[in-house]
Amino acid sequence: MTTDHMPDDRPVLLLGPPFGMGRCVGASVTTWMRNALPFAIVSAMFEAPFLVLERLLEPILYGGGSGEYVVGVALTLLWFLSWNLSMGAITFGVLEARGGGRPPIRRCIRIAFRTIPTLLGISVRMIWQLFLVVVVVLVVWAVTAVILQIEIPEVGLPPGMEIYLYAALGVALLWYFTRSVTAGPAAVVERLGTVDAMARSRELSKGRRWAIAATVLVVTVPILVACARLTTLEQGHAGAWYESTTWRWTRVGVQHFVVSPLLATVVATIYHDLRRERDGVATKDLVRVFE
């Protein structure tokens, strides 16, 4: 299925209420809280392969050495793939809930399985493009270091330069994410192919990328701060509980059964609100496409 996409220089025609960060965050959190259990079950099903592999590779992942970084990157990519699949299921659940219904778990899963090839294609394409974004940032940073005659040590980064590199990477990745964030929901709801879904995401996000970025940050920053605090506690505490496998897997469970579904709910809500603004589509019409 293909669609005609408006060029970037064409003004956006608004047919519904404007996208609002506060409204989107509130609706996301409310929807997630009311459906936390089914969304967690859906997330558990699709992210189970990741959790099993992480458990099997735990000696390498936490054992130090060069293999730790390779395994860490591989697991991150696998998580991204599995999260995109769970997001496809949660997208239907969010729309069903916004329409006043109770999303059945079995149907959420069936909807996601229907679009697995496209969701996998979107995941691979996004991973590749994110890699290119990181490479470009690193190249620009290296050229800047040469121009400013900053000595780069053999190991690590120049003192005081880490914050600038991390900030540049964060801004670049967030910029890319706001352009592609609704590709998965677009594929599920509008039954688009990989390329068309990503083009549709760019079309929907046009003119609203700062607001989308703010919405994502408002939800994710507290989570990141909390995770960083937990990591600090773990590193600075000598107690047996913090050093135990139980503590580590408690954090993993929170990440995959709380954080992942919440982020997927935010993405689906962003798509819902942008469709309402851009196309004037009511929630019941979005739900009706699954009938």
Side-chain angles (χ1 to χ4, degrees):
M1 178 177 179
T2 59
T3 58
D4 295 328
H5 305 291
M6 63 179 66
D8 289 340
D9 58 349
R10 179 177 172 181
V12 176
L13 178 62
L14 305 182
L15 300 177
F19 179 88
M21 182 197 73
R23 188 187 310 112
C24 186
V25 170
S28 299
V29 174
T30 300
T31 303
W32 171 75
M33 291 180 65
R34 292 176 177 173
N35 301 276
L37 180 58
F39 287 178
I41 294 174
V42 168
S43 180
M45 175 179 176
F46 284 102
E47 299 191 23
F50 168 86
L51 295 174
V52 171
L53 188 59
E54 184 176 16
R55 184 69 178 89
L56 294 175
L57 297 177
E58 191 177 49
I60 301 176
L61 185 62
Y62 298 102
S66 58
E68 176 181 350
Y69 300 101
V70 176
V71 171
V73 171
L75 287 175
T76 300
L77 297 180
L78 178 60
W79 170 80
F80 188 71
L81 289 170
S82 60
W83 178 77
N84 261 328
L85 295 178
S86 66
M87 183 186 62
I90 291 175
T91 293
F92 166 73
V94 169
L95 296 178
E96 184 77 14
R98 291 292 297 270
R102 298 290 295 179
I105 296 175
R106 185 175 300 178
R107 194 171 181 205
C108 289
I109 294 173
R110 187 168 65 248
I111 293 296
F113 271 114
R114 189 179 67 188
T115 52
I116 275 183
T118 302
L119 292 172
L120 287 176
I122 290 173
S123 300
V124 172
R125 193 177 180 89
M126 288 183 69
I127 289 171
W128 170 245
Q129 292 179 352
L130 284 169
F131 173 76
L132 292 180
V133 169
V134 172
V135 169
V136 169
V137 171
L138 293 177
V139 169
V140 171
W141 180 85
V143 171
T144 303
V146 172
I147 294 175
L148 298 179
Q149 297 182 345
I150 299 173
E151 184 178 353
I152 302 178
E154 294 183 2
V155 180
L157 299 172
M161 290 295 293
E162 297 96 332
I163 184 65
Y164 299 106
L165 177 60
Y166 294 150
L169 283 172
V171 170
L173 294 176
L174 184 62
W175 167 82
Y176 175 81
F177 187 72
T178 58
R179 288 166 52 89
S180 308
V181 65
T182 57
V188 172
V189 178
E190 303 175 53
R191 302 189 184 184
L192 302 175
T194 299
V195 175
D196 284 337
M198 299 192 72
R200 178 63 166 157
S201 180
R202 293 193 297 271
E203 175 186 316
L204 288 172
S205 64
K206 179 184 175 183
R208 290 288 181 258
R209 287 168 190 163
W210 286 112
I212 293 173
T215 301
V216 173
L217 288 176
V218 164
V219 176
T220 57
V221 166
I223 296 173
L224 294 176
V225 171
C227 290
R229 177 57 179 163
L230 290 176
T231 302
T232 302
L233 287 173
E234 182 182 11
Q235 293 174 348
H237 199 285
W241 165 250
Y242 285 95
E243 296 174 352
S244 68
T245 302
T246 303
W247 164 250
R248 182 180 302 154
W249 283 94
T250 298
R251 291 190 291 106
V252 170
V254 171
Q255 175 185 344
H256 294 286
F257 306 139
V258 176
V259 178
S260 289
L262 175 57
L263 183 57
T265 303
V266 173
V267 170
T269 305
I270 290 173
Y271 173 80
H272 169 275
D273 290 359
L274 288 176
R275 283 295 308 275
R276 187 175 58 178
E277 177 191 59
R278 293 288 195 260
D279 303 332
V281 177
T283 304
K284 61 181 181 180
D285 295 323
L286 292 174
V287 177
R288 193 174 293 134
V289 304
F290 298 106
E291 295 178 355

